[in-house]
Amino acid sequence: MAHLRLGRTLVLANPTARSGKGATAATFVQRFFESYASITTSFDLVLTERRGHATQLATRTQDVDTLVVLGGDGIIHEAVGGVMTLPRHSRPTLAVIPMGSGNDFARTLHAAINDAETALAQIVSGKRRHIDLGLVTSDAGEAAYVAQTLSFGLDAAIALDTTRRREANTRQRGSALFATSGLKIFSSGSQGYPARLSIDGGAPQELQTLVMAIQNGPSYGGGFRVCPDAVPTDGLLDICYNVLVPSTPRLLALFALARVGKHASSSAVRFGRLTRAHVEFVGEEPPCQVDGEPLLGRSFDVRVLPDALDVIAPAVCPW
């Protein structure tokens, strides 16, 4: 079987991923590349030490051919933000060894989750693909690249709550963690956040936003298929947002259906695809998250960046 040649390779590994299992996986990866030296022309592994460290390191990868990121969606988000500061021709190809709680970017790639050995095998037998990213800017002067998901409202509050609980070392992981946060927040009886949404320059829609997710891939929250048809290679971002404010029991039922993407048949939500969008919230600043990280502001501009990044996808990836 032919193997990819990874060239000059840098591994950025989060040793605290999955309650310290990231450190064990990093040791395995180190031994793998030392044992199979023909796969790379050079190899280095760096353990991240703090939040934002992967971004700092990734900004200096212009002489790297393949950047392998070991950890969850948080370190992938950081690495993407760093790589995107480089000119397009200088950006390394991104590969992931998923060792996180949600692993939604890895789900989009159809990569093996929390299994470093299989993930490495998928990388060396994989295929290079161009993928899109999103870019969001806010009136608070903040900006972020969207590798997987951008959301506003209660679903953003859920995502941020799962991040907080995970950092507090809760025993729950993945979709179970997202589900329990969702039950708590969706049961609050919120009537949503007043907002205006304009898609691709169209007339603004007046909304009471409970859920608004703009996706590059289909899922977040550890596999909740919020935009089930999203693919990161079509030059578009997918959007799911509520157009009605359901009762709390119906809202909870929709949340349960979203686990497998079956909320799409509900009249309470609407789906679409876009190249750009403008979202403006009236009054209270809404919860907002990008790949699990908070973003401040009341007014947001979002656009797709087609073919912005090269990745290694497993051979089984259908797109």
Side-chain angles (χ1 to χ4, degrees), residues 7-23:
R8 297 161 297 181
T9 301
L10 172 65
V11 179
L12 298 183
N14 177 7
T16 65
R18 283 194 73 81
S19 303
K21 292 180 180 178

Side-chain angles (χ1 to χ4, degrees), residues 120-137:
L120 272 170
Q122 289 179 332
I123 289 170
V124 299
S125 64
K127 54 187 178 181
R128 290 185 174 89
R129 295 296 309 270
H130 306 309
I131 65 165
D132 312 322
L133 296 174
L135 175 64
V136 55
T137 58

